[in-house]
Amino acid sequence: MQEEEDGAAREFLGSVLRDLPGQRQQLRPGSRTVSREEAQGELAELLLGFLGNRGAPSWLSATLVNAAVQQALEGDLSSYLQKKDATDLQELENESPKEEDIYCSDLLLNHCLSCLQDITTMWQSCLPPITRCSRQLIVSAHAIRNTRRKMEDRHVTLLEFNQLHGLTDGVERSYFAVFDGHGGVDAANYAAAQVHVQVANHEALAQDPARAVKESFQRTDAMFLRKAKRERLRSGTTGVCVLLEEERIHVAWLGDSQAILVRDGCSVTLMEPHKPEREDERDRIESLGGCVTFMGCWRVNGTLAVSRAIGDINQKPYVSGEGDVTSHVLNGSEDFLVLACDGFYDTVSPSEVPELVFSHLQENAGDGRSVAERLVNAAKEGGSGDNITVLVVFLREPVKVLENFLAQGCGEAKPLFDFGGKVETGSDHAG
């Protein structure tokens, strides 16, 4: 089986080598400039998209992207530095501490593509040993713009998290996230590319992964605020991410995007969204000198309907970039996770999710690959006009989930997380 996969991989690499010269001019970075800290995430995002659009096996693309990006960022990058004009120099004189080096995204991308070509050439003739993810997960994702003028949601699925980031500690990890942008797509794009990099590079990942996931939101927020100041960006994004680490899940969030767990056919509340009307959020905002007012819904300073987000430079510190986290040990009774933006949860309650998934599986003989589309359609039919993004991660085979539903029925279980800092049975950490 692996020999067949390796043969198909070499054939794919050969096609990349044939087509890459003609494709290089079509690849464009998302922004004109990038800092050294941002470069790993932005380059990985571009290369993953390029290889994914060509149908690359995820285990191959993750490892290949890691090798190309790491090679590209080694050594002297001074030739790719962005030249500063007189205005930039004047601004630098007023900055304290010293401004970080900024690189031309196009030049850095071309350098990275040359590294990709070199590594692909070597691997096409002699494919190195590549670790595959032993956990085979079925993931269903669907997103629509709906009635909004722009699509500002982003979602991320990284089954081979370790391979993408070169982690070799023997702890298998996968990562999933949904980001719901507002005021533009820049913050959501940024978070989709950067949060998982911050998780992987966090010094506490091995000993305290919950802390690593939680603090990665705030670190990404700080990075984006520097970029927002540099490029005069005003957008923001909420987000929820899940780090699946062998038999444990770490769920981190800020804002009103949410994740739920379905266990033995019942929806389990994992988290409480950050909304201005929450008493603790209102107290925090007012203690900083801000206000919470009702204008169709509760809003921070009469503008945003969320109290925590990455970005929103004009609303800091009232809109916090600090996330929350909760962790749980899986005992084998878990069916699936659902990550979604508020455009979904506005019209579909967590308790409705199991029945929707069950109905879809029953109608499709246990095939869960398009179940996210069913959930998105349910939200739209329920009256949601917002962008809608849904990501479903099956923690056991969809056919087994169907059998479990038939045996157990569905409903709503007791929350694992009581929102007061206490953890219920089945969970070992709350933040």
Side-chain angles (χ1 to χ4, degrees), residues 28 38 44 74 85 106 140 201 338 409:
R28 288 286 180 267
E38 297 164 339
E74 290 175 354
D85 58 26
D106 279 325
S140 176
N201 293 340
V338 176

Side-chain angles (χ1 to χ4, degrees), residues 229-240:
K229 183 177 181 181
R230 192 168 75 233
E231 300 183 9
R232 297 174 175 82
L233 304 176
R234 297 291 178 263
S235 62
T237 185
T238 67
V240 60

Side-chain angles (χ1 to χ4, degrees), residues 206-251:
Q207 290 75 32
D208 191 353
R211 175 189 157 206
V213 179
K214 176 182 177 179
E215 292 183 358
S216 292
F217 275 116
Q218 198 160 18
R219 293 185 180 188
T220 302
D221 180 51
M223 290 166 57
F224 183 72
L225 292 178
R226 292 194 293 272
K227 182 182 182 68
K229 183 177 181 181
R230 192 168 75 233
E231 300 183 9
R232 297 174 175 82
L233 304 176
R234 297 291 178 263
S235 62
T237 185
T238 67
V240 60
C241 72
V242 172
L243 183 68
L244 176 59
E245 189 183 59
E246 295 187 336
E247 301 309 316
R248 186 175 300 189
I249 57 171
H250 309 284
V251 182

Side-chain angles (χ1 to χ4, degrees), residues 351-364:
S351 62
E352 294 177 281
V353 169
E355 180 61 33
L356 288 168
V357 173
F358 166 67
S359 297
H360 177 86
L361 293 177
Q362 198 168 34
E363 293 166 8
N364 292 274

